[in-house]
Amino acid sequence: MKPLRTSSLRVRVTLTAIAVLLVVLPVTGLTVKAVFDAQAERSLDSLLTGRAQLAQQLARQNVAPGNLVRRIDADGVRVTLILRTGQQLGAPPVEPGGTVRQVRATLQAGQRTRGATLLLSADTALLADASAHLRNVLLISGAAAILITALALVVGMRFALAPLDAMTGLARSIAAGRRGGRLEPDRPDTELGRTAAAFDEMLDALEGAEGAARRSEDRMRQFVADAAHELRTPVAGLQTAAETLIQLGPAAPAERREELELLLVRESRRAGSLVADLLELSRIDAGLQLDLAQVDLRHLAESQAARIRLVAPDVSVEVTGSGTVTADSERLAQVLANLLDNARQAGAQAVRIAVGPTGLLVEDDGPGVPVEVRERIFHRLVHGPQSKGAGLGLAIARGVARAHGGDLTVTDRADGRRGAAFRVHLPRGA
């Protein structure tokens, strides 16, 4: 991308306006002069023609030749009347051409003027002088207009660009760390108003993103601290069991050694499970890659129900309904497994899995979830009163559901009985 040209806007606008004037004023001046010259020529022709017509009328009225010459005389017009006898009245005749415009007419009436030749001459030098004077006036006025315009633009641009100066000042104050300033245009429907409104919206978005990033950073720090705290317990158990085994040595009683070895296995599994959950959350945060295919939700629910009946024979699991969606079967199985394990750990004795065309509904007869904590239980490292895990299962389950374009929520049971209802919603065609 080419760098933005950032020459002075004041200079660019001023030079552009002067350039426009340098083009417009000469064109306008030439047009005015041409119109003036043409109009002057027409006026002169009309004057001479009109004097000739007046002479014809006076001749028809049998006006004496001398009186006729005096009556058709006019400023700028040279009148010469040559009678049939050769007598000349008025000004001496001149030859047409050069700066002389002449109209010749033969009078058609009158006792003494019939057949007389009338010469009407006009000197066009006066028109040329007027045209030259007009040209000089146009040149002087045009130069003055350009000079005045340039001075006015220099002063006016300071006022006209004041909103841009305000935007620049606000941007620099934001860059300096001062937040909260806004332009707040009084007329957002104008060009500058729309620009200022867009500038304010950009600042709102930037400050919102900055606040969100800060909150995300705070949550991440808290998450890391909580994860470290959760890992400390199994690591401490591993360390204690290992140190005790070393201290007891080969002569340790078999029962004691077996107890410590079981503790090592249990704590290592606990630590491994926590690390696996943390890695799963990091994959969700980075954008979970899904292996999408047609999934029979009824078959998936039956598989997980069979697993629960195997690990917890005292818990009854019922599966109803049917449905098929486009999803990642392993990820959906992970979500359903988390929900069933949570229900079992919460003390539920009966679980019902309702399968539908847009997801799953898992209802249990456990203690339920109070309204005030129904959103909090999906946060990371949040333990319920009966929870035996690290508090990451529901966060992972919701992350997987949202990666499919759906969601995971919790409500009361539809029949009003004691317990909780977790709904896995998948959009149609997900």
Side-chain angles (χ1 to χ4, degrees):
M1 183 177 179
K2 294 183 178 180
L4 179 65
R5 300 181 63 181
T6 55
S7 57
S8 172
L9 186 59
R10 291 183 176 88
V11 173
R12 294 178 67 178
V13 173
T14 301
L15 293 179
T16 301
I18 293 175
V20 170
L21 284 176
L22 288 174
V23 173
V24 172
L25 287 180
V27 172
T28 304
L30 291 174
T31 303
V32 170
K33 185 177 180 302
V35 171
F36 173 80
D37 291 343
Q39 185 62 39
E41 293 285 342
R42 284 195 296 270
S43 297
L44 182 59
D45 290 340
S46 297
L47 176 62
L48 295 177
T49 303
R51 294 287 96 183
Q53 292 174 353
L54 177 60
Q56 295 286 0
Q57 293 176 1
L58 293 174
R60 285 193 293 271
Q61 295 173 9
N62 202 25
V63 176
N67 192 22
L68 183 146
V69 170
R70 286 192 297 273
R71 292 184 65 177
I72 65 173
D73 190 16
D75 291 338
V77 179
R78 186 186 185 95
V79 182
T80 302
L81 181 62
I82 304 174
L83 301 177
R84 289 174 298 176
T85 61
Q87 182 183 0
Q88 295 184 0
L89 300 176
V94 294
E95 292 296 328
T99 61
V100 177
R101 181 75 56 82
Q102 190 176 84
V103 172
R104 179 185 293 267
T106 301
L107 300 182
Q108 303 296 326
Q111 294 180 355
R112 299 180 57 188
T113 56
R114 183 187 300 273
T117 300
L118 178 68
L119 299 178
L120 299 175
S121 304
D123 191 353
T124 59
L126 295 175
L127 296 181
D129 292 341
S131 178
H133 182 68
L134 175 63
R135 182 183 64 246
N136 294 334
V137 170
L138 290 174
L139 289 174
I140 295 173
S141 61
I146 292 175
L147 180 60
I148 294 173
T149 301
L151 294 176
L153 283 173
V154 170
V155 177
M157 287 298 293
R158 188 179 301 275
F159 171 77
L161 295 180
L164 293 181
D165 292 336
M167 294 182 191
T168 302
L170 179 59
R172 287 176 176 170
S173 69
I174 295 295
R178 293 185 291 275
R179 302 291 188 267
R182 295 295 184 272
L183 294 172
E184 298 180 352
D186 58 345
R187 294 186 59 187
D189 57 334
T190 63
E191 294 83 357
L192 284 174
R194 288 192 292 270
T195 302
F199 194 84
D200 286 349
E201 292 174 2
M202 179 189 68
L203 291 179
D204 291 339
L206 287 176
E207 292 185 9
E210 184 181 30
R214 188 178 295 110
R215 290 189 296 271
S216 177
E217 183 180 0
D218 293 339
R219 289 195 299 270
M220 181 57 67
R221 289 176 179 173
Q222 184 63 40
F223 175 69
V224 171
D226 292 342
H229 177 75
E230 292 291 334
L231 280 171
R232 185 186 306 169
T233 301
V235 170
L238 288 170
Q239 182 179 356
T240 301
E243 290 176 349
T244 304
L245 275 174
I246 293 173
Q247 291 174 358
L248 292 177
E255 293 183 0
R256 182 58 174 164
R257 289 183 64 86
E258 183 178 353
E259 179 183 352
L260 292 173
E261 290 169 353
L262 289 175
L263 178 61
L264 284 171
V265 172
R266 185 172 64 251
E267 294 301 323
S268 63
R269 286 179 177 174
R270 182 179 175 185
S273 177
L274 179 58
V275 170
D277 287 344
L278 292 174
L279 290 175
E280 189 70 15
L281 284 173
S282 69
R283 295 190 189 97
I284 292 174
D285 291 339
L288 197 60
Q289 298 297 319
L290 301 176
D291 184 12
L292 299 179
Q294 290 293 309
V295 178
D296 185 345
L297 293 181
R298 175 68 182 237
H299 177 72
L300 185 145
E302 292 286 5
S303 299
Q304 291 300 318
R307 182 184 66 84
I308 289 297
R309 296 188 188 103
L310 182 63
V311 299
D314 55 332
V315 178
S316 65
V317 183
E318 177 188 3
V319 179
T320 62
S322 62
T324 301
V325 296
T326 302
D328 189 322
S329 61
E330 292 186 5
R331 296 295 183 180
L332 286 187
Q334 180 184 12
V335 172
L336 187 55
N338 278 332
L339 296 179
L340 294 176
D341 289 339
N342 283 344
R344 178 173 58 85
Q345 293 172 7
Q349 297 298 311
V351 179
R352 185 175 75 92
I353 306 174
V355 179
T358 59
L360 302 163
L361 177 65
V362 179
E363 294 181 325
D364 63 64
D365 61 350
V369 181
V371 176
E372 61 272 12
V373 298
R374 285 181 180 174
E375 189 62 28
R376 185 172 177 272
I377 62 173
F378 294 104
H379 294 176
R380 300 175 181 187
L381 298 171
V382 173
H383 298 269
Q386 305 295 328
S387 176
K388 298 180 182 179
L392 296 174
L394 288 178
I396 293 173
R398 171 173 275 189
V400 172
R402 289 182 173 177
H404 281 81
D407 204 355
L408 172 62
T409 58
V410 59
T411 60
D412 293 324
R413 293 180 56 170
D415 56 10
R417 295 182 181 180
R418 177 175 177 268
F422 287 86
R423 180 178 298 277
V424 181
H425 174 75
L426 297 172
R428 292 184 182 275

